[in-house]
Amino acid sequence: MIQIRDEIASDIVVREHLLDACFGPGRFLKTSQRLREGRQPARGLALTAVQEDRLVGTVRLWDVEAGCGRPALLLGPLAVDPSLQGVGLGGALMRAALARAAECGHGAVLLVGDAPYYARFGFAPEKAAGLYMPGPFERERFLGLELQAGALEGAEGVLRATGALEPLPEVAAEAAAFAARRRAA
């Protein structure tokens, strides 16, 4: 049985291994990663899927400003163990993350990802049309979702990272060191 729960400190290093398996070292070059680097996920919005105490999925949401001071969340990465891809775990993680974000009162979620996949959750490129990432990105993959009606209406400008700068305690240093070793490899 797979359980979706809040991420805990001991998940962080294992999560990095899962992200490597799913995305490889190129993930460190993405603009989305630059926005997340050195920050904590939004409070209560880092979820992990575990099966028999083995981490098999992850999703995090991050505080950002969607142009002109408008708060939003940036989703990503969403990753599922390659041996479990295609069984609906990614969808379950997405639904859990979006429900939690709505419960916490967030108005909008943005992401860079596969438009056909994320459309089933309500994401659309039109919702992010006036927004830009602060580096290279594929316009057709930049998607938005309003959790509250009108939350992205008229939003214009460049996404800016906000939220806590302090990384999680001691394991964050270990995760950062692991990430640095992977980038150097």
Side-chain angles (χ1 to χ4, degrees), residues 159-185:
L159 239 58
R160 187 176 73 78
T162 60
L165 287 172
E166 288 289 315
L168 295 169
E170 64 282 345
V171 286
E174 187 178 339
F178 175 81
R181 287 192 303 274
R182 299 303 292 172
R183 274 195 298 267

Side-chain angles (χ1 to χ4, degrees), residues 4-16:
I4 296 175
R5 61 163 170 75
D6 288 323
E7 181 180 276
I8 58 176
S10 61
D11 291 338
I12 295 173
V13 172
V14 180
R15 179 184 177 278
E16 289 299 315

Side-chain angles (χ1 to χ4, degrees), residues 29-171:
L29 304 175
K30 296 181 179 182
T31 299
S32 295
Q33 178 63 25
R34 300 276 78 93
L35 282 169
R36 297 186 290 259
E37 212 163 65
R39 298 191 178 276
Q40 289 183 17
R43 187 173 185 85
L45 295 174
L47 302 176
T48 300
V50 292
Q51 182 179 47
E52 299 174 13
D53 294 328
R54 183 173 73 97
L55 190 142
V56 294
T58 180
V59 65
R60 287 176 164 184
L61 292 106
W62 307 81
D63 292 307
V64 294
E65 187 178 277
C68 300
R70 191 179 301 225
L73 295 168
L74 179 66
L75 187 141
L78 168 66
V80 171
D81 186 290
S83 69
L84 292 172
Q85 290 177 0
V87 299
L89 180 54
L93 279 163
M94 280 296 298
R95 287 186 294 280
L98 294 175
R100 177 85 60 90
E103 289 168 11
C104 291
H106 293 282
V109 180
L110 299 158
L111 62 82
V112 178
D114 182 52
Y117 178 83
Y118 289 105
R120 69 175 115 172
F121 306 105
F123 284 88
E126 298 79 24
K127 295 293 181 183
L131 297 168
Y132 297 87
M133 296 291 281
F137 72 103
E138 298 172 79
R139 168 54 69 190
E140 66 279 2
R141 294 173 50 87
F142 192 36
L143 312 171
L145 169 70
E146 292 181 332
L147 299 173
Q148 297 174 6
L152 291 173
E153 191 172 309
E156 294 181 340
V158 177
L159 239 58
R160 187 176 73 78
T162 60
L165 287 172
E166 288 289 315
L168 295 169
E170 64 282 345
V171 286

